[in-house]
Amino acid sequence: MKKLKETLSRANEVIFQYPIVLVMALLASVGAICMFENDNDKDLFFVYSKFTICACLGISLMFALKMLSQRIGKTLLLQLLGIIFLIGFYFILPEKQKDFTEVYGFIIAVTALLSHLLVSFVAFLEKNKELGFWQYNKNLFVNIFLTAVFTGVLTGGVELAILAVDKLFDFNFNDNLYVDTLYVLAIFGSCFIFLLFNEKGLYTLEKDGTYPIILKFFTQFILIPLLLIYVVILYFYSFKILINWELPRGWVSYLILAYSIVGILALLLVYPLKEEHAKSWVKIFSKAFYFTIVPLIILLFVAIFTRILEYGYTEPRYFVLLLALWLLSIIIYFIFNKKATIKFIPVSLFIFALFALIFPYLNAFSVAKRSQKNELLKALNDHKLLDNGKINFNKKITDTISIEIADKFEFLARRKQGEFLLNLLNKQDQAKLTETIKKGNFYSVRYDIQDKFSDVHKTSKTRPDEVQRIMIVPEKQSIAIGDYQYLLNFSRYDDEPKTLNSDEFKIVDQLTEKSSLKLLLNSKDEVDFGPQILKLFKENKEKRGTVKVPELSMETDLGMYHVKLIFKDIMSEKQPYNNRVNIYYTDAYLLIKLK
């Protein structure tokens, strides 16, 4: 009983100490459940997705502001500012799912990074709090690990208990219950457990304590051996490119970044041992790390600029370059500053990330758009494809150039640069591009532009990362009903049967799995249109992009009816990584009449 009262008392303290953080976690759990239960409704699903993203951001943001308020006060003001930011962030995200591109993914990822970095240092902006800063972040690190373990065990145990009750007592629970429980425990439950570990917050977290022997063991026997493996690989690779006098591969950038980040983490974990004579290996490691990374930073910049000079800036390349500049600033700071503080690491990364997100003209998105516009114009001018400022699609070019131009059209279309692209096309093509962008069919932009080049010389095999795609569409967009009496609409995303009088029509789409597309009548009579669809693709197997056919329909008798299935389009995509062929349609119309 005493233990129960103790537990309830601590839970009560957490609720009253972190109410806004818990509200954000609860809202995120509810949003995730609503996402799952409305995954068939694209518009609702997207609204709940935005809501859940903002609520998840709110967990770390409100926790950071709570830590700051425990240092400076002004709790209500800080909470109000946090809520205003989250509401504003919700409206920054697009209204419709079709407008959500990878740009918004980058914005969300960087904002999430900023909110977590804020947690690490916002309460320690004053000087002379170095050890408290380390203790605070060490305790957060340990608490996050413990939270993950506790949440995993709790979630698994509760899910198993629900399953046991369901099977033993024949309750026949809805399958959604398991997913809903997972979301509640994984989001709200983990947040509550984390806050329980933090007890009274800042004052508990920054309190001086004994150095955990597990951190020393983890750093000395896990992280440092990993670093040795990385540095040996990287130095051998550096010698290889020097001997062969070749440019480094782009992939080496990620290994150098991994080595740098793991090294910095290792240094942070053993920071308090730096001044202990018995642990002199920490001092040696600290000095050696920064000097070993200097040649690798040079290699990193060469690898990055090799890609940038050849293909221009994109957001990922911009972020990799920014990380390289951040690492360079860390090295310079710690090598030449004898009074260096470890607070510089998260604070400097926060400043760099904020710069990339919002700085006018030089942020990641502005730089990427300008660079790709210049690269597109350069490709068009170098290959003399512009006639009076418009692209001449009848000139002879190689397939690599057509792919490059099409890629850049898609890239810029996704970033709302339609006006710039329209100026490169004639009026007829302008109308089609405008409609495609309006619908959010950005993949179609790429294939439409690539297919417009009429004299393409094939110089290379299919790129290893390129999807081989063909979309078959009818020449006429209108549907002639003729003497048919009824029309039913079927969507790829809606497999519910359609009712006509007392009869039910249903499409069972297994084109990818079994090359089958069956139309069922009352689950008794059926017809398979799969073979006809496969025959259609076989007849056009040498073509790519959009292929127009006189009519995209199939008809047959079915029970007491004669039916005609008309497709708006049918697509086939061959994936490069496993050669799997996906065949699908977006919308189909079924015309029906009595025999």
Side-chain angles (χ1 to χ4, degrees):
M1 184 63 77
K2 187 179 178 182
K3 287 291 182 184
L4 179 61
K5 284 183 180 179
E6 229 177 84
T7 303
L8 291 174
S9 174
R10 288 189 64 184
N12 194 49
E13 284 178 13
V14 167
I15 291 169
F16 282 98
Q17 188 140 0
Y18 305 98
I20 298 296
V21 179
L22 289 171
V23 166
M24 290 296 162
L26 183 61
L27 292 176
S29 302
V30 172
I33 290 169
C34 292
M35 281 171 58
F36 174 72
E37 294 184 351
N38 292 276
D39 60 343
N40 289 325
D41 187 328
K42 287 193 292 185
D43 293 334
L44 262 180
F45 177 83
F46 187 63
V47 169
Y48 287 127
S49 298
K50 292 194 297 178
F51 178 83
T52 305
I53 289 167
C54 292
C56 287
L57 284 174
I59 296 172
S60 53
L61 176 62
M62 290 303 179
F63 183 78
L65 296 178
K66 179 64 180 178
M67 295 298 99
L68 181 60
S69 70
Q70 288 187 335
R71 181 73 75 195
I72 67 169
K74 302 179 182 178
T75 303
L76 290 177
L77 176 62
L78 291 172
Q79 287 178 350
L80 181 62
L81 290 173
I83 291 169
I84 291 171
F85 171 81
L86 292 171
I87 292 171
F89 190 83
Y90 178 88
F91 287 104
I92 286 174
L93 300 175
E95 188 177 345
K96 299 290 184 183
Q97 186 174 358
K98 66 181 179 63
D99 298 319
F100 187 90
T101 62
E102 61 263 33
V103 170
Y104 292 103
F106 293 130
I107 291 172
I108 293 166
V110 175
T111 306
L113 174 66
L114 287 170
S115 69
H116 285 79
L117 286 171
L118 202 63
V119 172
S120 71
F121 70 81
V122 72
F124 294 89
L125 295 175
E126 300 174 8
K127 293 182 179 179
N128 304 322
K129 288 186 178 293
E130 192 82 352
L131 190 58
F133 171 77
W134 184 87
Q135 289 286 356
Y136 168 82
N137 280 283
K138 179 265 292 181
N139 287 325
L140 283 179
F141 181 80
V142 172
N143 291 348
I144 288 169
F145 175 77
L146 292 174
T147 298
V149 174
F150 278 51
T151 304
V153 173
L154 177 65
T155 304
V158 172
E159 293 278 16
L160 186 59
I162 294 172
L163 180 64
V165 171
D166 186 23
K167 298 301 179 184
L168 295 176
F169 298 98
D170 298 322
F171 278 103
N172 296 318
F173 292 137
N174 190 303
D175 289 343
N176 289 358
L177 177 62
Y178 296 96
V179 180
D180 295 349
T181 303
L182 173 66
Y183 286 140
V184 171
L185 293 178
I187 301 174
F188 181 79
S190 64
C191 181
F192 198 92
I193 291 169
F194 176 74
L195 296 175
L196 278 172
F197 283 127
N198 293 333
E199 296 181 16
K200 294 182 180 180
L202 182 62
Y203 310 112
T204 303
L205 292 167
E206 68 177 349
K207 188 168 60 178
D208 194 9
T210 56
Y211 184 86
I213 195 68
I214 189 68
L215 287 186
K216 175 177 174 287
F217 183 89
F218 178 65
T219 305
Q220 196 169 2
F221 298 105
I222 303 296
L223 291 185
I224 291 179
L226 270 178
L227 289 171
L228 290 174
I229 293 170
Y230 287 164
V231 79
V232 167
I233 294 170
L234 288 168
Y235 271 88
F236 270 106
Y237 179 69
S238 301
F239 294 141
K240 174 181 176 287
I241 63 174
L242 283 173
I243 292 167
N244 295 333
W245 199 245
E246 61 184 10
L247 290 171
R249 297 177 186 177
W251 195 86
V252 75
S253 305
Y254 301 111
L255 189 57
I256 295 172
L257 290 174
Y259 171 74
S260 307
I261 292 167
V262 172
I264 290 170
L265 175 62
L267 287 174
L268 290 175
L269 289 178
V270 295
Y271 172 77
L273 305 181
K274 193 175 178 182
E275 304 306 321
E276 295 183 24
H277 179 71
K279 306 294 187 298
S280 58
W281 64 270
V282 178
K283 284 187 177 180
I284 297 169
F285 168 64
S286 301
K287 290 180 180 178
F289 171 74
Y290 291 117
F291 285 104
T292 59
I293 205 174
V294 171
L296 299 179
I297 286 291
I298 297 171
L299 179 62
L300 176 60
F301 277 107
V302 172
I304 292 169
F305 279 107
T306 298
R307 303 288 292 176
I308 289 173
L309 292 174
E310 188 172 0
Y311 303 110
Y313 284 93
T314 59
E315 291 88 359
R317 289 177 200 139
Y318 179 99
F319 289 127
V320 172
L321 175 60
L322 203 74
L323 278 173
L325 291 170
W326 172 68
L327 284 172
L328 182 61
S329 71
I330 293 287
I331 292 164
I332 293 171
Y333 177 80
F334 280 97
I335 287 178
F336 295 104
N337 190 342
K338 293 182 179 179
K339 295 182 179 179
T341 168
I342 56 173
K343 284 188 279 186
F344 181 80
I345 294 171
V347 172
S348 59
L349 183 57
F350 182 91
I351 292 169
F352 272 88
L354 193 63
F355 176 92
L357 195 62
I358 65 170
F359 198 87
Y361 192 76
L362 294 177
N363 64 69
F365 314 107
S366 298
V367 169
K369 284 186 286 192
R370 281 198 311 275
S371 176
Q372 291 306 307
K373 283 180 183 178
N374 292 334
E375 289 293 319
L376 175 58
L377 292 175
K378 182 176 180 294
L380 294 172
N381 287 317
D382 286 351
H383 297 89
K384 299 180 174 57
L385 295 174
L386 290 177
D387 285 346
N388 298 320
K390 307 294 182 184
I391 299 176
N392 184 346
F393 290 100
N394 296 319
K395 287 192 175 182
K396 185 175 182 178
I397 59 169
T398 61
D399 54 349
T400 53
I401 299 305
S402 70
I403 291 170
E404 179 186 347
I405 292 169
D407 282 346
K408 296 188 187 307
F409 258 80
E410 182 191 345
F411 181 93
L412 292 168
R414 288 179 179 276
R415 286 148 183 83
K416 300 179 181 178
Q417 301 303 300
E419 188 176 343
F420 170 81
L421 298 174
L422 291 174
N423 290 330
L424 299 172
L425 303 174
N426 60 40
K427 287 186 177 180
Q428 184 180 351
D429 295 331
Q430 284 178 359
K432 186 174 181 180
L433 179 64
T434 302
E435 184 65 20
T436 306
I437 293 175
K438 187 177 178 182
K439 290 180 179 178
N441 296 332
F442 299 112
Y443 282 116
S444 295
V445 171
R446 178 180 185 271
Y447 290 108
D448 287 347
I449 293 298
Q450 192 174 334
D451 295 340
K452 283 198 68 63
F453 288 102
S454 57
D455 191 359
V456 179
H457 175 59
K458 191 171 179 63
T459 60
S460 62
K461 295 180 180 179
T462 304
R463 293 186 306 178
D465 61 338
E466 183 182 5
V467 176
Q468 297 180 48
R469 183 175 184 269
I470 177 173
M471 179 168 69
I472 299 177
V473 297
E475 290 178 353
K476 295 180 180 178
Q477 295 299 310
S478 58
I479 299 174
I481 296 177
D483 59 347
Y484 286 91
Q485 299 164 297
Y486 307 100
L487 184 147
L488 297 176
N489 174 231
F490 291 89
S491 170
R492 176 191 174 195
Y493 303 102
D494 180 11
D495 59 357
E496 292 297 315
K498 309 294 180 184
T499 303
L500 174 61
N501 299 325
S502 59
D503 294 316
E504 278 191 350
F505 291 86
K506 182 176 182 178
I507 288 182
V508 178
D509 181 1
Q510 294 180 310
L511 281 169
T512 297
E513 297 83 1
K514 299 180 180 179
S515 304
S516 168
L517 184 76
K518 291 182 179 179
L519 177 64
L520 307 182
L521 174 60
N522 298 324
S523 300
K524 295 178 181 178
D525 299 313
E526 66 177 50
V527 59
D528 189 358
F529 293 110
Q532 295 179 61
I533 294 171
L534 292 180
K535 181 182 177 184
L536 192 61
F537 280 110
K538 191 174 181 180
E539 291 170 353
N540 296 277
K541 65 180 180 180
E542 299 300 325
K543 298 177 182 177
R544 291 289 178 270
T546 303
V547 176
K548 291 186 177 181
V549 294
E551 190 175 14
L552 192 54
S553 64
M554 298 136 195
E555 57 182 299
T556 187
D557 290 331
L558 183 63
M560 60 187 289
Y561 301 102
H562 184 79
V563 296
K564 184 176 184 180
L565 189 62
I566 304 173
F567 294 95
K568 182 180 177 182
D569 51 46
I570 307 178
M571 277 151 281
S572 170
E573 291 182 346
K574 186 176 181 180
Q575 303 298 330
Y577 46 85
N578 59 7
N579 288 326
R580 176 186 171 94
V581 178
N582 297 320
I583 302 175
Y584 57 91
Y585 66 95
T586 50
D587 289 291
Y589 305 94
L590 185 66
L591 297 177
I592 306 168
K593 64 180 178 182
L594 292 168
K595 287 196 291 189

